[in-house]
Amino acid sequence: MIQAPIFHVNGDDPEACMRAARLAYDYRQTFNRDVVLDIVCYRRFGHNEGDDPSYTQPQMYKIIDQMRSVRKIYTETLVRRGDISIEEAEAALNDFNERLQNVLDEVRTVPVPELTGVPFVKVPLDAPAPQTGVDRATLIEIARATMSAPEGFTIHPNSSVSSPNVASCWMRAKSIGHWARRWPSDRS
C-alpha cells in the first residue's frame, strides 16, 4: 500500500487544479514524501489524432461533444469577474493559436531523416503462406464473425471493419499473407 495523501480535484475547475497542484508540490517539498493528484476529467478528443473514443464509449462521447469546453467556460468566468476583458481573452487565444501554428510550420520544414542500415528482408509476393496452425475454414469463420454484427446492432460508421472492401479482400485472399498484402488502402 502506498502511504501517500491523495488530492482529488475536478478537472473542469482550472483554479482548483492549480491549488491542488500547488498543495501537492508543497507537500512533496516539505515532507519529501509521495503525493497523488487525482484530476477527475475526460479526454474530449481521445489520446491522439488516431484515437476516437466514440468507438468504445459512444453514449458518453455524445454527451461530451455537447459540453462546452473548459477553456470557454473559464474564459467566461474570468470575463464575468472582471479579471480580463473579452478583447484580452480573444488576443490570448489568437496568440496561443499563432504560437501553435508557428511551431507546426517550423516542424514541417525539418527534413525527414533517411534511415540507413536498417535490415530489410524482401518477401516475394508469391511466397508461400506460413503454416499458422489454423485452417482456412476456421479463419474465414472468424473473419465473417468480426465483419458482421447481430441484427439490430450498428457498427460504428468509421470502423474499417465495416468497410465492404475489407470483407471482399479477405474473402478473395488465398492466404493470410496474401490478404495482408491486399489490405484496402481506405482503412483508417
Side-chain angles (χ1 to χ4, degrees):
M1 181 186 314
I2 298 174
Q3 295 292 319
I6 302 173
F7 301 129
H8 304 279
V9 63
N10 180 355
D12 284 345
D13 186 344
E15 291 178 1
C17 289
M18 181 59 92
R19 285 191 299 272
R22 283 190 179 135
L23 182 60
Y25 177 79
D26 290 344
Y27 178 90
R28 174 83 173 134
Q29 293 302 103
T30 302
F31 300 107
N32 199 27
R33 305 281 311 243
D34 289 338
V35 60
V36 176
L37 183 57
D38 177 27
I39 303 175
V40 181
C41 56
Y42 58 88
R43 286 187 189 97
R44 182 174 290 274
F45 301 111
H47 297 282
N48 56 51
E49 66 278 358
D51 178 28
D52 185 349
S54 68
Y55 286 166
T56 55
Q57 300 292 330
Q59 292 175 332
M60 180 172 69
Y61 274 86
K62 277 184 187 175
I63 295 169
I64 289 171
D65 283 344
Q66 295 170 3
M67 295 174 67
R68 295 171 60 235
S69 74
V70 173
R71 183 195 60 79
K72 287 179 182 176
I73 294 169
Y74 187 56
T75 299
E76 290 170 0
T77 300
L78 293 174
V79 170
R80 191 174 50 253
R81 285 193 321 215
D83 294 341
I84 62 172
S85 68
I86 292 175
E87 292 77 19
E88 290 170 316
E90 288 173 355
L93 178 61
N94 290 339
D95 177 61
F96 177 72
N97 287 334
E98 184 178 318
R99 290 167 65 189
L100 286 177
Q101 188 62 51
N102 289 340
V103 170
L104 178 62
D105 293 342
E106 182 181 334
V107 167
R108 286 182 172 163
T109 64
V110 176
V112 176
E114 188 175 318
L115 296 178
T116 58
V118 177
F120 176 73
V121 178
K122 187 168 182 171
V123 178
L125 290 179
D126 59 348
Q131 289 296 333
T132 63
V134 180
D135 65 278
R136 178 176 169 72
T138 302
L139 291 175
I140 289 175
E141 185 179 334
I142 292 169
R144 283 195 177 122
T146 60
M147 292 180 199
S148 60
E151 191 173 323
F153 183 87
T154 304
I155 295 176
H156 195 286
N158 292 343
S159 172
S160 63
V161 171
S162 64
S163 167
N165 291 342
V166 173
S168 67
C169 182
W170 170 236
M171 294 309 158
R172 287 191 323 262
K174 297 179 186 96
S175 68
I176 292 295
H178 186 240
W179 171 75
R181 288 189 295 274
R182 295 177 59 128
W183 183 262
S185 59
D186 71 343
R187 68 180 179 183
S188 50

